[in-house]
Amino acid sequence: MFLNNHLAPLQQSYKDLTQTVEELNTKFSNLNTRLENLENIVGSSTSKMENKKGRRHNWEVRKGDNTTLKLYNSLTRSKEEFRCENGKQLKWYSCGPTVYDASHMGHARSYISFDILRRVMTDYFGYNILFCMNITDIDDKIIARARQEHLFKIYQKKVNKEDLQKDANSAQQALAKKIEETTDEDKKKMLEKQNTRTLAALAQLGGESSTEHLNNMLLECKDAMYTWLDKKLGSTVEDNSIFSALPQFWEKEYFSDMEALNVLPPTVLTRVSEYVPEIVSYVEQIIDNGFAYESNGSVYFSVGTFDQSSDHFYAKLVPEAVGDRSALEEGEGALSCTAENEKRSQTDFALWKASKPGEPSWESPWGKGRPGWHIECSVMASSILGSEMDIHTGGVDLKFPHHDNELAQSEAHYNTDGWVRYFLHSGHLTIAGCKMSKSLKNFITIQEALKKNSARQLRLAFLLHSWKDTLDYSENTMLDAVQYEKFLNEFFLTVKDELRKQSAPGIDRFGKWSDKEMKMSETFSQRQCSVHEALCDNIDTKAALSHIRQLVSSANNYLASCGDDRVANGCLLKEIARYITWLLKVFGAISGDGEIGFPVNVGGVGGGNVETLLMPYLNALSQFREDVRTVALEHKVVDVLKLCDVLRDDVLPALGVRLEDKEGSTTVVKLADPEQLLRERDEKKKAEEEKRLKKLAAKEAAEKKRQEKEAQRRQPPSQMFLSLTDQFSQFDDQGFPTHDKAGKELSKGLSKKLRKKYDVQKKSYEEFLKEQTATIETK
């Protein structure tokens, strides 16, 4: 009973618990169903998200401009993609000048050209350049010139008539003999000119004997005396200071010229005289490597041994020139010993030269001597740049033997086959189509060139030609450069004037673009791409400036299309002008911080702030002048109008201010270089004078023709042929010719032709008589 009483509640609890479990199972089943439905929903959404996400992942970086810089490599004679050994760190060696005379346009050809390349690679392509250049201050030409000038000065101090006649005559005879032996036509012409001057001086020596006259005659035959004195007394010179004084003087002059041309100085400058110990060590290593040998105190590079080595190749640049005796002798120098027994082969060249009396010398294991020409560059370049460099530059005339010998001896020293990666050579420079040469005394110095044209104009002339091709320095070449400069300057001045007119502050300067702006912007973008392609293509500045010209023309057309009905977009014009200015700065054609255009120099003060400072005052002056002209025109006050013209044409241009009067519009004020404005004024006056003279000549010719016609009218027809006795011998009673000079009767054809002339004159004469009769009757 007790158990029944307790089991009954337990059974009921169990029953209730079972029911609860069943209910929970039902609810759990429903929950699972709902979870499955939710998973399906979530799965569907996830799938959609994944699909969308997948579509975003299809985004790719667009293929950009793959244009890369290519340079014409003389080693391969083709354009090669430029790659630096060390990323953007570029090692560059450039052959510098041999300083024994004034720098000339041939030097400018190389140094301006490579300055342009250096600037473009630095400021456009972003390379960090270690630029090393040498000064050759030990050389046969320097030694010879130093001795010649030294001996000539001594001779000049004690000159007398008797000695000068005798010595100048000896010098002339030696010169005449040299002319006979010379086969080079250009050199022969130079020597003949020297001979002509010497003979003329000798002819004048017989008269006056004053010191001044003798010195003048000595100067006239200086070239002949230079050579004669050096040959006779050169070996007696013991003053070694002259061999350093001469190159030091011309080195200063050289850098002064480079500064005037806006050529950047090198990062590192090396002088041969400072690297003699390094040269000796370098030569020793070449001997140790088996590619050089000592002979009679000199050391020669064995071209045959080097070329026969499986690891080397001689004359990589100009293999076809191997054996060119003339080029090899010039490379060795005029003072070098050419004895057959000193060299194992005539193609071998000197690394170290035993010094002779009258020459500077340094100690070496082989005795006192001096460096050979070619070894100097190898040692100095290697000392700064190491066993390999990215770029080596120089004039095309240095290819063989100088640069080929540089390559050979450097690769022999390091036992490598790649001392230089890219060899760049600037083209020749001719003068009005003729060969230019300092040794031939056919050259124009940089200072002479700068008297005719500005440094910017010279640079533009180089920019308008390929750096690796021949450039002809002539009036036409410079005229193209001057016109291009003027073309750009007019654009810059026009843009500046336009921007001054639109000097709206803040957001007011932004206007809605029309189709014209869209088209101009598209053209701008296309030209920028074209310039980039040109610079990537062997730094083709000629093509780049052509694209700039087209861009400026398009911008000028855009300005003209705006007219008076709408204002041109100043922001767009400013960007175009800034881009062109920036590019010209990259090329080295513009210096300074000016945002737009060429630097303005007014009253000796330059800089962009000058315009900002002066323009309000100049605009006020221009407006005052315009008001005065308006009143003067209204009241026809001619003298006042002339004064306004004088202010515009004479006074303001000398101050660097140009006024451009425009009918129906405000006078335009522009600041420019005073010299340029004065040249423009003079050219305008010259053109006006030529036009006036041409008009006057035409008027005088017309008057003369009228007078001749009037005189002819007054001549009776019976007299018109009588004076022609050189053609006719017999005439009829009316003065008409019947027989020719030989007495032969005139042909019918000729008589008919002459009769027509006779009848025309008869009619003209009768009209004249009628006019005369009418005049008399009137009176």
Side-chain angles (χ1 to χ4, degrees):
M1 192 69 180
F2 176 78
L3 288 172
N4 287 333
N5 289 336
H6 284 83
L7 280 173
L10 289 171
Q11 288 173 344
Q12 185 63 44
S13 295
Y14 178 76
K15 186 177 179 181
D16 292 342
L17 181 61
T18 301
Q19 186 178 351
T20 301
V21 169
E22 289 176 354
E23 289 175 356
L24 288 172
N25 284 333
T26 301
K27 288 180 180 181
F28 183 73
S29 178
N30 291 338
L31 182 60
N32 279 336
T33 301
R34 291 175 67 186
L35 285 171
E36 288 176 0
N37 292 336
L38 183 60
E39 285 176 354
N40 290 333
I41 293 171
V42 172
S44 176
S45 299
T46 302
S47 177
K48 290 179 180 179
M49 288 292 289
E50 286 175 350
N51 288 338
K52 288 182 180 179
K53 187 176 181 183
R55 285 200 298 273
R56 278 206 309 270
H57 275 196
N58 288 333
W59 180 89
E60 294 179 357
V61 176
R62 288 183 179 179
K63 290 184 178 180
D65 179 16
N66 291 323
T67 307
T68 56
L69 173 62
K70 291 185 177 180
L71 294 176
Y72 184 87
N73 190 354
S74 296
L75 286 166
T76 62
R77 300 189 182 185
S78 61
K79 294 176 187 177
E80 305 288 353
E81 185 174 325
F82 184 73
R83 285 286 181 268
C84 238
E85 179 189 4
N86 187 21
K88 287 286 185 179
Q89 306 302 315
L90 193 158
K91 295 188 291 185
W92 185 332
Y93 180 80
S94 185
C95 275
T98 300
V99 281
Y100 71 98
D101 206 339
S103 299
H104 53 71
M105 285 302 294
H107 292 124
R109 173 60 172 142
S110 286
Y111 300 126
I112 291 179
S113 295
F114 294 133
D115 183 68
I116 292 168
L117 265 61
R118 178 185 175 189
R119 288 172 181 269
V120 170
M121 295 188 75
T122 300
D123 298 331
Y124 190 90
F125 290 106
Y127 286 97
N128 301 312
I129 301 176
L130 175 57
F131 190 89
C132 178
M133 188 189 81
N134 78 293
I135 292 289
T136 297
D137 58 355
I138 302 174
D139 182 78
D140 285 34
K141 292 176 181 177
I142 293 173
I143 295 168
R145 179 62 60 84
R147 288 194 317 213
Q148 288 167 357
E149 290 188 358
H150 174 69
L151 293 169
F152 189 80
K153 287 176 183 177
I154 294 173
Y155 188 91
Q156 200 171 24
K157 289 177 182 178
K158 58 180 183 179
V159 64
N160 63 74
K161 184 176 179 180
E162 184 180 343
D163 287 343
L164 182 57
Q165 281 182 319
K166 182 183 67 175
D167 295 340
N169 188 59
S170 298
Q172 186 277 323
Q173 290 176 4
L175 180 58
K177 185 179 180 181
K178 190 173 182 180
I179 292 172
E180 291 179 8
E181 297 170 350
T182 301
T183 56
D184 185 292
E185 287 302 317
D186 291 325
K187 191 171 184 179
K188 190 168 234 176
K189 287 178 182 178
M190 176 201 72
L191 294 174
E192 286 172 346
K193 288 179 181 179
Q194 293 179 8
N195 193 42
T196 300
R197 288 197 301 271
T198 304
L199 288 171
L202 280 168
Q204 296 181 54
L205 277 174
E208 189 180 346
S209 59
S210 67
T211 303
E212 182 181 358
H213 176 70
L214 292 177
N215 275 320
N216 288 336
M217 293 305 98
L218 179 59
L219 289 172
E220 282 298 307
C221 52
K222 182 176 73 171
D223 292 317
M225 290 295 290
Y226 259 29
T227 306
W228 183 78
L229 285 169
D230 188 53
K231 187 173 183 179
K232 183 180 179 182
L233 302 170
S235 60
T236 66
V237 174
E238 296 179 350
D239 184 2
N240 283 334
S241 65
I242 66 170
F243 300 119
S244 57
L246 179 77
Q248 285 172 6
F249 173 81
W250 287 116
E251 181 186 332
K252 290 179 182 177
E253 292 298 305
Y254 166 79
F255 279 108
S256 176
D257 288 341
M258 293 302 105
E259 185 177 356
L261 292 173
N262 195 31
V263 171
L264 294 172
T267 315
V268 183
L269 180 72
T270 60
R271 299 180 183 89
V272 180
S273 58
E274 299 170 346
Y275 279 81
V276 174
E278 288 85 349
I279 291 172
V280 170
S281 298
Y282 204 92
V283 172
E284 286 182 305
Q285 185 62 57
I286 297 175
I287 294 174
D288 291 344
N289 290 347
F291 295 109
Y293 57 91
E294 185 271 340
S295 177
N296 200 27
S298 296
V299 178
Y300 295 97
F301 186 84
S302 178
V303 170
T305 303
F306 179 82
D307 197 42
Q308 289 167 13
S309 170
S310 59
D311 298 327
H312 299 296
F313 181 89
Y314 178 68
K316 289 181 176 180
L317 293 168
V318 196
E320 60 271 25
V322 174
D324 184 339
R325 190 74 175 267
S326 176
L328 291 169
E329 287 179 359
E330 186 175 351
E332 288 295 79
L335 302 179
S336 296
C337 180
T338 57
E340 294 288 332
N341 58 354
E342 278 212 359
K343 295 182 181 181
R344 295 175 183 172
S345 169
Q346 287 306 304
T347 58
D348 294 351
F349 56 89
L351 300 177
W352 183 263
K353 300 177 180 181
S355 291
K356 300 186 291 294
E359 297 179 358
S361 62
W362 288 262
E363 294 291 343
S364 81
W366 318 286
K368 287 189 175 183
R370 55 191 176 87
W373 176 34
H374 313 299
I375 196 68
E376 299 170 352
C377 287
S378 292
V379 175
M380 291 184 286
S382 299
S383 296
I384 302 300
L385 305 178
S387 60
E388 186 173 317
M389 70 187 74
D390 298 297
I391 293 178
H392 191 318
T393 51
V396 66
D397 55 308
L398 297 178
K399 271 189 179 182
F400 185 88
H402 184 54
H403 287 158
D404 267 325
N405 288 352
E406 267 192 63
L407 286 168
Q409 63 202 9
S410 300
E411 291 171 3
H413 175 271
Y414 289 110
N415 256 330
T416 61
D417 190 41
W419 187 57
V420 175
R421 296 294 301 151
Y422 298 84
F423 231 127
L424 313 183
H425 289 96
S426 59
H428 283 295
L429 182 126
T430 57
I431 299 178
C434 299
K435 178 182 177 182
M436 197 214 74
S437 169
K438 181 186 283 189
S439 60
L440 298 178
K441 300 189 183 298
N442 172 39
F443 64 93
I444 294 176
T445 67
I446 290 171
Q447 287 301 316
E448 289 170 341
L450 286 172
K451 290 177 182 177
K452 297 178 180 179
N453 296 99
S454 67
R456 182 190 304 132
Q457 290 164 352
L458 290 173
R459 186 170 288 253
L460 285 172
F462 285 39
L463 286 163
L464 288 167
H465 293 77
S466 169
W467 59 267
K468 75 177 188 66
D469 296 334
T470 297
L471 169 65
D472 185 43
Y473 175 72
S474 63
E475 288 186 7
N476 288 337
T477 298
M478 294 314 303
L479 181 61
D480 289 343
V482 170
Q483 289 177 340
Y484 191 88
E485 178 190 44
K486 185 176 181 181
F487 173 73
L488 291 180
N489 194 42
E490 289 303 317
F491 172 69
F492 291 140
L493 295 176
T494 300
V495 170
K496 287 179 181 180
D497 180 65
E498 193 68 28
L499 293 175
R500 282 193 291 268
K501 292 176 184 176
Q502 302 178 26
S503 56
I507 61 174
D508 292 338
R509 67 182 184 277
F510 298 107
K512 182 180 178 181
W513 279 21
S514 68
D515 290 341
K516 290 180 179 180
E517 280 74 36
M518 294 297 294
K519 183 179 179 182
M520 185 65 248
S521 178
E522 183 180 354
T523 300
F524 180 27
S525 179
Q526 289 172 350
R527 291 302 168 195
Q528 285 178 301
C529 291
S530 297
V531 167
H532 179 69
E533 290 173 1
L535 294 181
C536 285
D537 183 18
N538 199 37
I539 309 185
D540 188 353
T541 57
K542 178 181 178 181
L545 289 194
S546 177
H547 293 304
I548 292 300
R549 185 191 294 275
Q550 293 173 60
L551 174 59
V552 170
S553 297
S554 298
N556 286 335
N557 291 335
Y558 162 70
L559 267 167
S561 70
C562 291
D564 298 327
D565 57 333
R566 65 186 302 275
V567 177
N569 190 283
C571 293
L572 180 56
L573 285 172
K574 186 176 182 180
E575 282 304 304
I576 293 170
R578 285 176 60 190
Y579 168 72
I580 297 172
T581 302
W582 168 76
L583 196 63
L584 291 172
K585 286 182 179 180
V586 169
F587 293 157
I590 293 181
S591 300
D593 301 325
E595 190 176 26
I596 293 177
F598 301 124
V600 177
N601 191 320
V602 180
V605 180
N609 292 333
V610 173
E611 289 186 80
T612 305
L613 179 66
L614 292 181
M615 285 314 297
Y617 300 98
L618 292 174
N619 284 329
L621 174 63
S622 174
Q623 186 59 53
F624 176 74
R625 173 181 170 275
E626 199 166 328
D627 293 341
V628 170
R629 286 184 77 247
T630 301
V631 174
L633 286 168
E634 184 180 345
H635 296 282
K636 299 181 180 179
V637 187
V638 178
D639 289 341
V640 173
L641 290 173
K642 286 183 179 178
L643 288 172
C644 289
D645 289 346
V646 169
L647 178 68
R648 178 195 62 198
D649 298 336
D650 296 328
V651 178
L652 292 179
L655 300 174
V657 181
R658 182 201 288 166
L659 297 184
E660 295 178 358
D661 292 328
K662 297 192 175 182
E663 190 175 348
S665 181
T666 306
T667 297
V668 175
V669 183
K670 295 179 178 179
L671 285 179
D673 180 58
E675 290 184 7
Q676 176 191 338
L677 293 182
L678 291 174
R679 278 196 303 269
E680 290 176 0
R681 182 199 65 184
D682 293 342
E683 288 171 1
K684 182 180 178 182
K685 286 184 176 180
K686 183 180 178 182
E688 290 174 348
E689 179 64 13
E690 288 175 352
K691 185 177 179 182
R692 186 189 70 80
L693 292 174
K694 188 176 180 180
K695 188 176 180 181
L696 180 62
K699 185 178 180 181
E700 290 175 349
E703 176 60 22
K704 184 179 179 181
K705 189 175 182 180
R706 187 196 66 77
Q707 290 177 0
E708 289 173 349
K709 188 176 181 181
E710 181 62 25
Q712 188 176 358
R713 286 178 69 217
R714 294 169 180 264
Q715 185 181 43
S718 59
Q719 296 179 8
M720 66 181 294
F721 294 117
L722 293 177
S723 61
L724 303 177
T725 55
D726 60 330
Q727 299 180 41
F728 311 111
S729 60
Q730 296 183 40
F731 305 87
D732 62 14
D733 56 356
Q734 294 180 335
F736 189 83
T738 57
H739 293 73
D740 64 15
K741 183 180 179 181
K744 186 179 179 181
E745 188 176 352
L746 299 181
S747 65
K748 290 183 180 180
L750 181 57
S751 293
K752 186 176 180 180
K753 185 178 180 181
L754 294 173
R755 179 60 65 182
K756 284 183 179 180
K757 291 183 178 180
Y758 185 91
D759 292 342
V760 169
Q761 181 63 24
K762 182 179 179 182
K763 182 179 179 181
S764 178
Y765 182 68
E766 288 173 350
E767 289 176 354
F768 167 71
L769 292 177
K770 285 180 182 179
E771 290 175 5
Q772 291 295 103
T773 303
T775 302
I776 294 171
E777 290 176 353
T778 302
K779 290 181 178 179

